[in-house]
Amino acid sequence: YNSSFNSYRIDSATTKQLKPLLKKKTMEIFLGSWCDDSRREVPRMFKILNYAGFDTTHIQLIFVNHAKQSPQHEEQGKHITNVPTFIVYDHKKEMGRIVESPKLSLEKDLLTILQHQF
């Protein structure tokens, strides 16, 4: 965790744009401790969210096994096919998700999701 967190260079310009858009949002992160993508992307997302001043108590971490199942079955009905899966919610309504790895970057993909609220 620490090496991926510490070595990641944040896109500070994009992350500053995230700050007002993250207000009153929540996030679920489905991940596997066995998964290389989870070990790389989850610490990076936390670094971005910390930089943006996001209240990390609004994040639910859900660990899954290789079959993408969690002990409490939080994945049911959410179509979790790959990990990590970052799901952003606005008042319990899914706004969008980043699955496995970002298309552009975590910051830019998150900004795209958050800007679709308008």
Side-chain angles (χ1 to χ4, degrees):
Y1 179 93
N2 288 336
S3 63
S4 190
F5 183 94
N6 292 332
S7 65
Y8 187 65
R9 295 188 57 146
I10 292 174
D11 173 351
S12 57
T14 303
T15 303
K16 285 178 186 174
Q17 294 177 64
L18 294 172
K19 188 171 186 164
L21 300 174
L22 284 166
K23 290 189 188 304
K24 298 185 180 179
K25 304 298 183 285
T26 58
M27 184 180 290
E28 285 181 328
I29 302 175
F30 290 86
L31 69 150
S33 59
W34 46 267
C35 170
D36 289 339
D37 293 330
S38 292
R39 290 197 302 260
R40 181 186 64 246
E41 301 299 341
V42 172
R44 291 175 176 183
M45 179 62 84
F46 270 95
K47 188 168 186 175
I48 292 162
L49 294 172
N50 285 341
Y51 187 87
F54 185 69
D55 181 354
T56 56
T57 64
H58 295 168
I59 298 171
Q60 183 178 8
L61 287 174
I62 302 154
F63 288 86
V64 298
N65 61 20
H66 289 276
K68 314 302 182 293
Q69 296 173 336
S70 65
Q72 302 300 317
H73 304 291
E74 294 95 338
E75 78 287 348
Q76 287 185 337
K78 295 185 180 169
H79 309 289
I80 305 301
T81 58
N82 297 81
V83 290
T85 296
F86 303 94
I87 306 176
V88 180
Y89 294 94
D90 183 16
H91 297 94
K92 298 185 181 183
K93 180 177 183 252
E94 182 177 334
M95 297 179 71
R97 58 177 68 192
I98 299 169
V99 178
E100 197 168 16
S101 59
K103 292 176 183 157
L104 299 173
S105 71
L106 288 171
E107 296 92 333
K108 289 179 179 166
D109 289 7
L110 189 54
L111 184 62
T112 298
I113 290 167
L114 292 167
Q115 287 178 329
H116 280 105
Q117 68 179 332
F118 301 110

